[in-house]
Amino acid sequence: MNSLSSSLGRAPEHPRPLCVPGSAAQELPGSCHPGFSPVSRCLSPGAMLGHRGHHRPPKSQRDLSPEEQQELRRKINSRERRRMQDLNVAMDALREVMVPYASSSSPSSPSSPSSHSHHPGAPPGRRLSKISTLVLARNYILLLGSSLQEMRRLLGEVSVGVGGVNAGPVPRLLLAGGWPLISGPSHLLLSPESLLTTAASSSSSTPSHSTAKCAILSPGPVEAPLGAPVQWSSVGAPGGGSLCPCSVCRLPRFSHPSSVPRFPK
DNA sequence: TAGGCCATCTGGTCCT
DNA sequence: AGGACCAGATGGCCTA
């Protein structure tokens, strides 16, 4: 776990100021309210809106001394920080496999949180935002699914001509045909049936205002005619055509090797 | 300067 | 009881 934190680059030992009951010097302006009881002083309006409609610290917490409460709060904050950092590591891992959008500099460049700062339409050099990463990943999976289905269809056609699916060189020939990530993690090779189902169900719910034209963002891959597999290269691969006009795809095709620290000091 | 994105803090809830 | 997860709030950084 520590390895994950250390890989983030942002020194876990130097998190932002902690808001710990009883530690006024560390309080964030606006987030804590001196004068409240040690237990309730950090309540934000949102935090006050508990599902039960009232706030009452657990019995065990009420029984703790201020020092113990402070230590407990530090411990909880640390856990939450680490949890979010782990989530970011996973997000970076996802960005990496998001060819051709993946940022090579990101892996653990959380050390450069500033490079996060990006939004659709931003100039090249910015890595995918979290939401963009998730949206692209989803559609990327759908694209792979449709590609797999297409490949299976072609395999079927070719195998008929050469005497069967297990006929020697045919599969290898097709596999060498430039299918993106076709040899990637096996868990990505989902059943085309489930992908079709997913795509069909999601195509009606997918926001389309800015993504309808995008082969990556839209359910397009699944809807693509069978004889014409999606032209991946035209979407964002090096040497491909113009950038997709959608809001998410107007992103850098190539990762930037350098990243600017979010909090330069 | 506004808006987007992000990290962090926090309290509540659920699970083991 | 403790940890994981979640969602709201807050403030900082960056870009248009």
Side-chain angles (χ1 to χ4, degrees):
Chain A
M1 191 58 71
N2 286 336
S3 61
L4 288 176
S5 297
S6 61
S7 68
L8 290 169
R10 185 187 312 105
E13 310 82 47
H14 303 291
R16 293 192 184 184
L18 295 174
C19 179
V20 179
S23 58
Q26 295 178 311
E27 288 175 356
L28 289 172
S31 61
C32 295
H33 312 284
F36 282 29
S37 69
V39 172
S40 61
R41 64 191 308 173
C42 288
L43 292 179
S44 58
M48 295 289 284
L49 300 176
H51 296 256
R52 300 288 169 80
H54 55 84
H55 170 74
R56 209 173 99 173
K59 182 177 186 297
S60 61
Q61 188 172 337
R62 281 181 290 157
D63 292 340
L64 295 176
S65 67
E67 291 75 18
E68 289 171 328
Q69 290 177 12
Q70 179 174 336
E71 186 58 33
L72 177 61
R73 183 30 72 184
R74 281 205 181 95
K75 190 177 177 181
I76 294 173
N77 288 350
S78 177
R79 267 204 311 271
E80 177 66 7
R81 210 179 305 127
R82 189 171 59 236
R83 193 181 70 84
M84 295 308 297
Q85 288 170 352
D86 290 346
L87 183 63
N88 287 335
V89 169
M91 190 67 69
D92 275 333
L94 184 57
R95 286 188 182 99
E96 282 193 334
V97 301
M98 288 305 299
V99 248
Y101 299 98
S103 170
S104 62
S105 65
S106 60
S108 311
S109 56
S111 63
S112 51
S114 69
S115 63
H116 294 189
S117 181
H118 148 66
H119 49 81
R126 301 293 171 184
R127 73 175 179 180
L128 293 174
S129 67
K130 291 180 177 180
I131 182 66
S132 295
T133 299
L134 293 176
V135 170
L136 282 171
R138 172 190 173 278
N139 290 285
Y140 187 38
I141 290 171
L142 294 178
L143 172 64
L144 291 179
S146 81
S147 295
L148 177 61
Q149 188 182 32
E150 171 67 7
M151 189 183 70
R152 285 176 172 169
R153 188 186 67 82
L154 293 175
L155 270 174
E157 288 181 359
V158 175
S159 63
V160 168
V162 297
V165 174
N166 295 326
V170 176
R172 284 197 298 274
L173 180 63
L174 286 177
L175 286 173
W179 291 92
L181 289 190
I182 203 65
S183 60
S186 59
H187 62 270
L188 286 178
L189 303 179
L190 308 177
S191 82
E193 293 77 15
S194 64
L195 284 166
L196 281 174
T197 302
T198 301
S201 63
S202 62
S203 62
S204 60
S205 61
T206 302
S208 59
H209 61 281
S210 63
T211 62
K213 297 178 182 178
C214 177
I216 300 298
L217 297 179
S218 71
V222 178
E223 296 172 349
L226 284 182
V230 172
Q231 293 302 307
W232 179 263
S233 62
S234 69
V235 175
S242 59
L243 281 176
C244 171
C246 85
S247 61
V248 176
C249 279
R250 284 181 297 179
L251 296 169
R253 298 182 211 175
F254 305 103
S255 55
H256 270 223
S258 62
S259 54
V260 182
R262 182 184 179 88
F263 303 111
K265 284 291 180 273

